[in-house]
Amino acid sequence: MKVLIKICYCSLFISLTYANEIKVGVVPQFDHRTIQSIWEPILHELELDNQLKYKLVGSPSISDFEVKFEKGEFDFVYLNPYHLLVAHQKQGYYPILRDIGRELYGIIVTKSNTPIESIEGLNDKKVAFPSPNALGAALIPRAEFAMKYMISPIYLYVNSHDSVYLNVILGKVDAGGGVQKTFNQQPEYIKNKLKIIYETERVAPHPIAVHPRVDKGIVEGFKRTFYKCYRNEVKKIWLEKIPIKVLGEARIEDYNSLKEMGLESFYVRK
Amino acid sequence: MSIKLKLILPFILGAIIVSIVINTIWLPKHKMKVIEKITFGETAYLSLLGEAVVPSVLSLDLANLHANLDQIVLKKKTSWEELSFIDADGFQLYPLEKTQFIEKSGYHWIEAPINSDGKNIGVFKVNVNINQLISGDVKDIKSLEYAIYIILMLFSIMSFFLQYIFISQPIQKTSVAVSEIAKGNYNYALPVSSKDEIGLFIDSFKKMVDSLKDREENLRKFNKAINDSGHSISITDHEGFLQYVNKSFVEETGYEENEVIGQNIVGFSPDGNKENGINDMWESLSKGGQWKKEMVNKRKNGEKYDVSLSVSPIFDEQDKIEGYVFVQIDITQQKKLTRQLEQQTKKAVDANKAKSEFIANMSHEIRTPLNAVIGFSEILMPEIDDEENKKCVEAIKTAGNNLLQLINDILDLSKIEAGMLSLSSDPVSISTMMRELECVYAQSAKSKGLNFIIELSPLLPENIICDEIRLRQSLSNLIGNAIKFTREGGIRLCVKESYVNNNSGLVNVEFKVKDTGIGIPEDQQDLIFESFRQQNGQSNRDYGGTGLGLSITKKFVEMMNGEIKLKSVKNRGSEFTIILKDLLILDSEKVTDMIPKTVFNDKIDFQQAKILIVDDAKLNRDLLKTFLLNMNTQVIEAVNGEEAVFLSQQSKPGIILMDIRMPVMDGYRAAELIKANQCTADIPIIATTASVHMTDINIKYSNFDYYIAKPIHLKNLVLVMTKFINSKIKIEEIKTNDDFIIGYDILINSELDYLLKNYLLSYWKEIKDSNDFEKIAEFSIKLQSETRKYECQLLNQYSESLQISIEKFDILKIGDLLTDFPKLIEGFKVA
């Protein structure tokens, strides 16, 4: 009986807590203000639909983000596939929604006027990556360079995809790693000076995962709001900015191939 | 160059100078300073920027580097171009495009090396737009320049308007006013003057305009006066060519103005001008003098008319004759009237002459018988012993004298009223005249039991210039009246000076005749000076008289620049005062011809003298002969002038007594002939006439030496004769009575004169008031002993009389004699 009463009290406490504030985390692949502008209308819509308070918890850096989700500070979190695997392993986070219309893969670019045409030509060459743990742009390529092509380029980490492309163009490095999406986002005069010489294996893109402590009802409400927005032409644009162009259900199984790549050994702990 | 331009020009020059200074000196210099400042500032800025981008460079976070630098470039896009960052390896990390580092005008390359931990990691290069950076300063400077331009322009505009308002406008208005005034519109209003130089200019101009206006007005009046003048006026140049003629000239001559202007005035002179004596005109005028002439002129139609022509030269500023003014007055009518007037005047003169002759004849005819009546009665008086007969003769003499006085008064009055009486200017000794008056009236006063006292002021000048006859006559009238109207008491004649101005030599003399008579009531005091008026209630029978005396006296006094005053209280007496003003004082030395003093015939002894009596009336000759009977004279007679001329040459008389009106030859002609003859020219001729017109002037311009008015009184005859014939006093006949020492000239030598007027006069002063008989006796003896050697019988007689009076203890006589001593010695004259 006492246990039952404690469970009831806990449930009530959790409900009240959730009712007061649900923490949402977002991988800091963009700067905080961009993330804020993307997620603010969505969170506001969630609050209206579910009568719950949603709070965007910012993370100044990837490492801070990693610390937070490993501690389970987020109720809902948007994160990359490798982080999902880690978060799932550490806190039990499980994916509920993802863009089902595309796949995540990395690209290797060089200056358009260089003779390097293949990955093999990058041995001992300077290759720039945004950061060591960037999934598509660094982690998967480095794993494939070592595991699949057996080459040892000189890696330089230049903080961002844009820096990668600029270092390539300005000749500071011979090649750089990025993703198709950031490449496409570059202005034409940048893209014109670059050429993609390699694409990595493809994996499911970033999911929205939920902490197992979160009530199913709240999770369902969360998902309902997302679908409602997805069906609304205007609000759909909110989701596209996340970016989720084609909303669909996500499962932990969708990320099994990634688990097989052995990325763990290439992941750099800070 | 206009005043406007002159006023604006300094501002234009100022603007040019400002422009040169700002654009060629200040601005370039300022640019240099600004470039240095900008270089320093931008270098510092790049260094700071470098520090900011060091992490991005070191981490090759080129996106961040680019993002940051893009922001900077955007921020500094106006002043920076081509910001570039080249790392230490020579890679240009920013921008993407390779920078060419080309120099551009208005730009300046700035480099800033970037270090990290003392190690160079790259360099910033940027092309700074200097022009843009200093554009603010340039703009400020240019704004200042433009502001100065605007201020200068405002000043020039303000100056323009101010000069327009305060200079140009008043000058323009004044200029317009000057044009109007030049046209003769003097009432055109000049601009209101201000208190500045323009105001002073306008005020001065106003004064000039007022002056011009006055001159114009005067000229207009002058022109009008000349043009409208009733006299013909013409003006010529110096050669006589007519330049102007007035209306009267045109009307008078009959010539039109255009006919005469430019013609020589000589051409308009009548033919007879040579006879008119016009030829001397040019000669007179050329000497600068005025020329006047009455002459006959001729009109255009040939008619002649009388004119009075006056020609005056006109002088230019160098005193050269530039023309002549001819003023011609038509005196034709005036001449006609003058001729008529002359005719009437001639008639009036003739009538007046006839009247004068009538009065003269009447006077002569009345005086001639009176001469005999009075003269013979005077002769008869001492000859008749019978008292009754003596009274009859006395009555005849008195009646004759009264009648003579009446005639004289009437004649005097008629002469005064006709303006024929003229005053003479004689040297007069007042003291002498007073002694004479005392001599004449003392006796008559004494006979009425009255005192007659004469008082003379010691400060009175001895000699003055006045008409002695009129003064004596006036005083005689007053004294005579005083004696006549006083029953008891006395008469006092006081003479004093009332005002003396030694600087001008003039004196006012006051003669006061005061009596204790019947007096004149106040209401009649003015009436008594009227002719033929006597005091009401005055009995003619008691007092006699014609009532003319005071009237004549008043008129004489007024003619002599004097006045007569009267103060009187009835029954207490009267006081008549004559004040003669501004009489000329004469020094004693200048008196060379004193009027002979009153003497009496029985006291005079002429030197043996032959006397020619000329008179057509036997009665008059006999009278004169009788008068001269006991005077040691030889008398010869002539009945007319012709005989007189003959006898004067034949007998050489010492003196001639000549009547004026005589048949055959009158006295004037006879005297003329006698004086014309060298042998007889020195004989003094004394006119004896009853004519009222014989005056001093007649005497002066005729050949007579003196005259005696008829009827002749003995004393007057003797008086005049002493002037021309040497005489001496008959001492033995002088009586020691009150009239003992009435003055006459006794010639003495200078030694005796000195002795008398110094030693003896001083002696006399010591004893005169002593009342000590012994001292007086000593004085008389001293006087006699001291003067004996000079054989002056008068002094001897005086001392003897004094000694006799002492012996008789006649105190009154002694007093009188002592009192008279100064008068006695005054009568002596140095020979």
Side-chain angles (χ1 to χ4, degrees):
Chain A
M1 189 61 185
K2 287 183 180 177
V3 174
L4 185 61
I5 291 169
K6 284 182 180 176
I7 293 169
C8 289
Y9 269 112
C10 286
S11 300
L12 181 60
F13 174 75
I14 292 166
S15 299
L16 287 172
T17 304
Y18 290 152
N20 286 332
E21 193 172 82
I22 293 171
K23 295 175 181 171
V24 179
V26 177
V27 63
Q29 59 187 11
F30 304 119
D31 65 81
H32 181 71
R33 278 183 295 180
T34 305
I35 292 167
Q36 186 84 22
S37 67
I38 292 169
W39 283 91
E40 196 67 35
I42 297 168
L43 297 181
H44 183 64
E45 193 70 19
L46 284 167
E47 287 178 348
L48 291 175
D49 288 349
N50 300 299
Q51 297 301 311
L52 293 169
K53 182 75 176 173
Y54 289 86
K55 181 186 177 184
L56 183 65
V57 178
S59 302
S61 63
I62 295 291
S63 57
D64 181 66
F65 177 72
E66 288 171 344
V67 170
K68 282 178 177 172
F69 73 71
E70 284 178 6
K71 287 182 179 177
E73 289 184 4
F74 306 123
D75 294 316
F76 292 92
V77 63
Y78 176 75
L79 70 183
N80 71 39
Y82 175 74
H83 282 153
L84 174 67
L85 295 179
V86 177
H88 182 70
Q89 184 186 354
K90 296 282 184 180
Q91 287 287 334
Y93 285 98
Y94 59 93
I96 55 174
L97 294 168
R98 72 173 178 95
D99 187 348
I100 59 172
R102 65 181 177 93
E103 289 178 318
L104 177 64
Y105 58 95
I107 58 172
I108 299 298
V109 296
T110 59
K111 279 176 77 171
S112 57
N113 58 356
T114 59
I116 299 170
E117 296 292 340
S118 63
I119 295 300
E120 289 80 4
L122 295 177
N123 192 30
D124 297 329
K125 296 295 184 182
K126 289 180 180 177
V127 178
F129 297 105
S131 66
N133 298 331
L135 183 64
L139 202 54
I140 295 173
R142 281 199 295 130
E144 288 188 359
F145 284 176
M147 302 295 287
K148 193 174 178 179
Y149 296 98
M150 306 296 187
I151 60 171
S152 301
I154 300 166
Y155 297 134
L156 296 172
Y157 301 102
V158 294
N159 281 346
S160 67
H161 292 250
D162 294 343
S163 290
V164 170
Y165 302 135
L166 288 173
N167 273 289
V168 173
I169 290 170
L170 292 171
K172 283 299 287 182
V173 295
D174 298 302
V179 297
Q180 191 64 48
K181 182 190 167 191
T182 58
F183 182 82
N184 292 339
Q185 286 173 342
Q186 297 301 311
E188 283 301 312
Y189 67 89
I190 296 289
K191 288 192 283 189
N192 290 339
K193 288 180 167 51
L194 296 172
K195 62 182 181 185
I196 300 170
I197 61 168
Y198 177 72
E199 291 180 357
T200 63
E201 287 188 31
R202 295 166 188 262
V203 295
H206 289 46
I208 297 171
V210 65
H211 196 279
R213 67 175 174 264
V214 178
D215 184 70
K216 296 296 180 189
I218 292 171
V219 173
E220 286 305 317
F222 188 94
K223 288 169 71 176
R224 272 199 305 274
T225 297
F226 263 77
Y227 281 111
K228 187 185 79 176
C229 291
Y230 182 68
R231 287 190 293 269
N232 184 298
E233 286 300 318
V234 176
K235 296 174 182 174
K236 187 182 179 183
I237 297 169
W238 296 348
L239 305 184
E240 285 175 355
K241 288 183 178 177
I242 290 175
I244 298 174
K245 287 184 178 177
V246 182
L247 184 66
E249 293 290 325
R251 295 172 299 163
I252 193 66
E253 293 80 12
D254 295 339
Y255 299 92
N256 285 339
S257 61
L258 189 64
K259 200 182 289 182
E260 291 170 355
M261 285 182 186
L263 297 178
E264 187 63 27
S265 57
F266 294 97
Y267 193 81
V268 179
R269 294 285 176 189
K270 293 180 182 176
Chain B
M1 189 183 289
S2 68
I3 292 175
K4 296 173 194 171
L5 197 55
K6 284 177 182 172
L7 285 171
I8 292 170
L9 194 60
F11 298 110
I12 294 171
L13 291 173
I16 292 169
I17 291 166
V18 166
S19 176
I20 290 169
V21 169
I22 288 176
N23 291 298
T24 62
I25 301 172
W26 188 17
L27 198 55
K29 201 170 178 179
H30 186 73
K31 271 185 180 177
M32 292 297 294
K33 284 184 179 176
V34 169
I35 287 170
E36 287 176 11
K37 192 176 172 184
I38 287 170
T39 302
F40 179 78
E42 295 299 325
T43 304
Y45 186 88
L46 287 173
S47 297
L48 288 173
L49 183 62
E51 288 178 14
V53 300
V54 164
S56 299
V57 173
L58 292 177
S59 64
L60 290 177
D61 185 357
L62 297 187
N64 194 31
L65 177 69
H66 276 241
N68 290 333
L69 295 184
D70 283 347
Q71 283 183 7
I72 297 299
V73 168
L74 189 65
K75 187 177 170 184
K76 306 273 277 185
K77 65 180 179 183
T78 54
S79 55
W80 280 6
E81 279 189 7
E82 299 180 281
L83 173 65
S84 304
F85 182 80
I86 295 98
D87 70 4
D89 299 327
F91 288 95
Q92 178 178 305
L93 301 186
Y94 186 87
L96 285 179
E97 298 299 328
K98 188 74 175 174
T99 304
Q100 299 302 316
F101 301 108
I102 298 168
E103 295 288 342
K104 285 167 65 178
S105 174
Y107 286 79
H108 181 70
W109 283 104
I110 294 174
E111 291 184 6
I114 307 301
N115 298 320
S116 175
D117 296 332
K119 183 182 177 185
N120 181 264
I121 61 168
V123 61
F124 270 122
K125 290 185 178 179
V126 66
N127 208 8
V128 179
N129 187 346
I130 297 295
N131 282 348
Q132 197 279 332
L133 284 174
I134 66 169
S135 64
D137 286 350
V138 173
K139 193 176 175 183
D140 288 344
I141 292 169
K142 283 290 180 184
S143 297
L144 179 65
E145 184 182 358
Y146 297 144
I148 291 171
Y149 292 156
I150 288 167
I151 289 167
L152 289 173
M153 192 169 72
L154 286 175
F155 272 121
S156 63
I157 290 169
M158 201 175 350
S159 161
F160 174 81
F161 279 107
L162 288 175
Q163 74 80 26
Y164 177 74
I165 291 166
F166 295 113
I167 299 174
S168 289
Q169 202 174 38
I171 288 175
Q172 283 172 2
K173 286 182 179 176
T174 307
S175 177
V176 172
V178 168
S179 300
E180 288 296 322
I181 289 162
K183 292 174 187 171
N185 183 9
Y186 286 101
N187 292 324
Y188 194 89
L190 280 163
V192 177
S193 58
S194 53
K195 292 179 180 176
D196 54 16
E197 290 81 354
I198 295 292
L200 287 174
F201 167 70
I202 292 172
D203 281 344
S204 301
F205 197 78
K206 279 179 180 173
K207 287 176 186 171
M208 190 190 79
V209 169
D210 289 342
S211 175
L212 277 176
K213 193 176 174 182
D214 289 344
R215 288 189 191 181
E216 180 83 2
E217 182 62 18
N218 289 336
L219 197 59
R220 189 190 64 74
K221 286 179 184 173
F222 185 66
N223 279 339
K224 186 166 175 57
I226 288 180
N227 205 36
D228 296 348
S229 169
H231 302 323
S232 162
I233 298 172
S234 53
I235 298 172
T236 71
D237 63 12
H238 67 285
E239 292 176 333
F241 289 97
L242 280 161
Q243 294 176 322
Y244 168 83
V245 293
N246 71 348
K247 283 197 287 188
S248 291
F249 181 94
V250 172
E251 289 168 2
E252 210 169 83
T253 62
Y255 289 103
E256 293 298 325
E257 186 178 340
N258 56 11
E259 288 181 285
V260 295
I261 295 298
Q263 302 295 318
N264 198 300
I265 196 162
V266 175
F268 297 94
S269 302
D271 297 336
N273 275 343
K274 287 185 179 176
E275 288 72 27
N276 284 332
I278 199 171
N279 289 339
D280 67 336
M281 178 180 78
W282 297 111
E283 186 183 347
S284 173
L285 290 174
S286 63
K287 293 174 182 171
Q290 198 182 37
W291 186 85
K292 287 182 178 177
K293 193 91 176 175
E294 286 188 4
M295 54 186 282
V296 177
N297 214 339
K298 195 166 72 173
R299 303 188 206 278
K300 186 181 179 183
N301 59 11
E303 180 190 348
K304 291 188 175 179
Y305 62 108
D306 292 309
V307 295
S308 170
L309 179 61
S310 169
V311 188
S312 305
I314 303 168
F315 295 97
D316 62 13
E317 291 175 353
Q318 283 78 40
D319 279 343
K320 290 181 179 175
I321 295 173
E322 62 175 353
Y324 302 98
V325 180
F326 288 73
V327 180
Q328 182 175 285
I329 304 170
D330 186 346
I331 56 170
T332 308
Q333 194 64 23
Q334 188 183 330
K335 279 271 187 185
K336 190 177 173 184
L337 289 171
T338 304
R339 282 192 286 272
Q340 290 174 356
L341 194 61
E342 282 172 355
Q343 289 171 359
Q344 289 172 357
T345 304
K346 189 171 183 304
K347 286 179 185 175
V349 168
D350 290 345
N352 195 43
K353 192 176 177 185
K355 180 191 164 195
S356 298
E357 284 176 357
F358 173 75
I359 292 170
N361 287 334
M362 283 301 294
S363 169
H364 187 264
E365 295 307 320
I366 293 170
R367 282 169 178 250
T368 300
L370 271 178
N371 193 31
V373 170
I374 295 169
F376 281 114
S377 62
E378 286 181 352
I379 292 168
L380 278 174
M381 275 295 285
E383 304 297 331
I384 296 171
D385 296 328
D386 181 65
E387 284 301 317
E388 286 300 319
N389 290 337
K390 208 167 192 171
K391 284 181 182 175
C392 291
V393 173
E394 182 70 33
I396 292 167
K397 184 186 172 189
T398 304
N401 279 330
N402 288 342
L403 184 57
L404 182 63
Q405 183 63 44
L406 175 63
I407 290 166
N408 286 341
D409 285 352
I410 289 170
L411 289 173
D412 281 343
L413 196 63
S414 66
K415 278 195 280 185
I416 289 166
E417 289 175 349
M420 292 170 67
L421 188 80
S422 58
L423 297 175
S424 63
S425 296
D426 306 317
V428 176
S429 167
I430 295 173
S431 61
T432 303
M433 181 186 279
M434 293 308 109
R435 284 197 298 272
E436 289 171 3
L437 287 170
E438 185 181 28
C439 176
V440 171
Y441 291 103
Q443 189 59 40
S444 55
K446 192 173 181 181
S447 67
K448 285 187 72 175
L450 302 172
N451 293 321
F452 180 49
I453 299 166
I454 295 179
E455 294 177 356
L456 298 179
S457 165
L459 298 176
L460 201 62
E462 177 57 30
N463 298 299
I464 56 168
I465 296 292
C466 75
D467 188 324
E468 183 182 3
I469 294 172
R470 308 305 172 198
L471 176 59
R472 188 193 301 277
Q473 192 173 341
S474 300
L475 292 173
S476 295
N477 276 337
L478 296 180
I479 296 166
N481 281 348
I483 294 171
K484 188 162 68 177
F485 293 110
T486 304
R487 292 194 186 94
E488 57 183 12
I491 294 95
R492 186 180 294 271
L493 170 59
C494 303
V495 188
K496 65 176 184 178
E497 73 295 332
S498 62
Y499 166 74
V500 180
N501 187 337
N502 289 324
N503 292 332
S504 63
L506 298 175
V507 63
N508 291 359
V509 181
E510 182 181 292
F511 302 90
K512 190 173 285 181
V513 178
K514 193 174 181 180
D515 64 49
T516 55
I518 60 173
I520 303 162
E522 195 172 347
D523 59 345
Q524 295 187 30
Q525 288 181 4
D526 289 335
L527 297 176
I528 60 163
F529 290 105
E530 295 179 9
S531 302
F532 302 105
R533 292 296 293 267
Q534 287 183 324
Q535 183 183 336
N536 284 348
Q538 178 184 320
S539 170
N540 262 28
R541 191 179 305 164
D542 290 344
Y543 298 109
T546 60
L548 291 173
L550 285 176
S551 175
I552 291 168
T553 298
K554 185 169 188 285
K555 286 182 167 60
F556 280 164
V557 169
E558 288 171 352
M559 287 176 73
M560 289 187 286
N561 187 29
E563 58 178 332
I564 184 166
K565 296 176 182 175
L566 166 61
K567 285 199 292 188
S568 181
V569 179
K570 192 176 181 183
N571 297 325
R572 291 187 62 180
S574 303
E575 180 183 295
F576 287 87
T577 306
I578 291 172
I579 301 170
L580 298 183
K581 298 172 182 171
D582 296 336
L583 296 171
L584 190 64
I585 301 169
L586 197 64
D587 293 341
S588 299
E589 295 171 357
K590 294 180 181 176
V591 183
T592 57
D593 188 17
M594 293 294 290
I595 297 298
K597 307 302 180 284
T598 304
V599 293
F600 294 103
N601 64 319
D602 55 349
K603 298 175 187 172
I604 199 94
D605 189 6
F606 292 107
Q607 288 181 355
Q608 179 63 40
K610 189 183 286 179
I611 297 173
L612 172 58
I613 298 171
V614 187
D615 201 312
D616 58 325
K618 186 175 184 300
L619 206 60
N620 288 341
R621 293 200 304 276
D622 291 344
L623 176 64
L624 285 171
K625 279 199 295 184
T626 308
F627 279 158
L628 298 170
L629 204 58
N630 298 318
M631 293 187 188
N632 193 25
T633 55
Q634 179 189 349
V635 174
I636 52 176
E637 298 176 55
V639 296
N640 56 47
E642 196 174 71
E643 278 188 24
V645 173
F646 175 75
L647 287 173
S648 65
Q649 292 173 359
Q650 191 180 52
S651 304
K652 301 283 180 58
I655 190 167
I656 301 171
L657 300 173
M658 187 180 287
D659 188 25
I660 300 298
R661 296 186 178 196
M662 291 178 292
V664 184
M665 181 185 288
D666 64 15
Y668 291 121
R669 178 63 182 160
E672 185 182 351
L673 292 173
I674 291 166
K675 291 291 182 184
N677 189 329
Q678 284 189 346
C679 297
T680 56
D682 295 334
I683 302 172
I685 306 172
I686 297 165
T688 58
T689 177
S691 170
V692 296
H693 297 306
M694 178 59 81
T695 64
D696 294 350
I697 293 174
N698 294 130
I699 293 295
K700 187 173 181 182
Y701 290 102
S702 70
N703 293 297
F704 296 106
D705 296 288
Y706 216 82
Y707 86 100
I708 301 173
K710 288 180 179 175
I712 297 169
H713 291 271
L714 175 59
K715 61 182 179 183
N716 289 340
L717 176 64
V718 173
L719 195 69
V720 173
M721 284 179 65
T722 56
K723 189 172 179 67
F724 301 100
I725 302 174
N726 290 335
S727 61
K728 61 179 180 181
I729 306 294
K730 288 182 178 176
I731 298 299
E732 62 279 9
E733 294 179 14
I734 293 178
K735 299 171 184 174
T736 55
N737 55 19
D738 287 346
D739 48 354
F740 170 74
I741 51 169
I742 295 308
Y744 26 73
D745 285 341
I746 294 176
L747 302 178
I748 57 174
N749 66 29
S750 59
E751 192 179 343
L752 175 59
D753 184 64
Y754 181 81
L755 183 70
L756 286 171
K757 291 178 179 173
N758 290 280
Y759 171 66
L760 291 172
L761 192 61
S762 300
Y763 199 170
W764 168 79
K765 286 176 183 174
E766 289 176 11
I767 57 97
K768 69 181 176 73
D769 296 320
S770 66
N771 295 325
D772 186 338
F773 277 31
E774 288 184 7
K775 286 184 178 178
I776 296 169
E778 285 173 9
F779 168 72
S780 66
I781 294 166
K782 191 78 177 176
L783 175 66
Q784 193 171 36
S785 61
E786 290 290 340
T787 60
R788 183 176 295 129
K789 65 179 180 181
Y790 298 106
E791 297 180 349
C792 179
Q793 293 182 358
L794 186 60
L795 287 174
N796 191 38
Q797 182 65 34
Y798 175 84
S799 57
E800 283 178 3
S801 296
L802 191 58
Q803 288 169 22
I804 291 167
S805 300
I806 292 167
E807 286 171 7
K808 291 179 180 177
F809 292 96
D810 188 345
I811 297 170
L812 293 175
K813 184 66 177 176
I814 293 168
D816 288 342
L817 284 168
L818 285 175
T819 303
D820 289 337
F821 182 74
K823 295 178 185 175
L824 173 69
I825 61 175
E826 276 181 26
F828 293 102
K829 300 293 177 189
V830 176

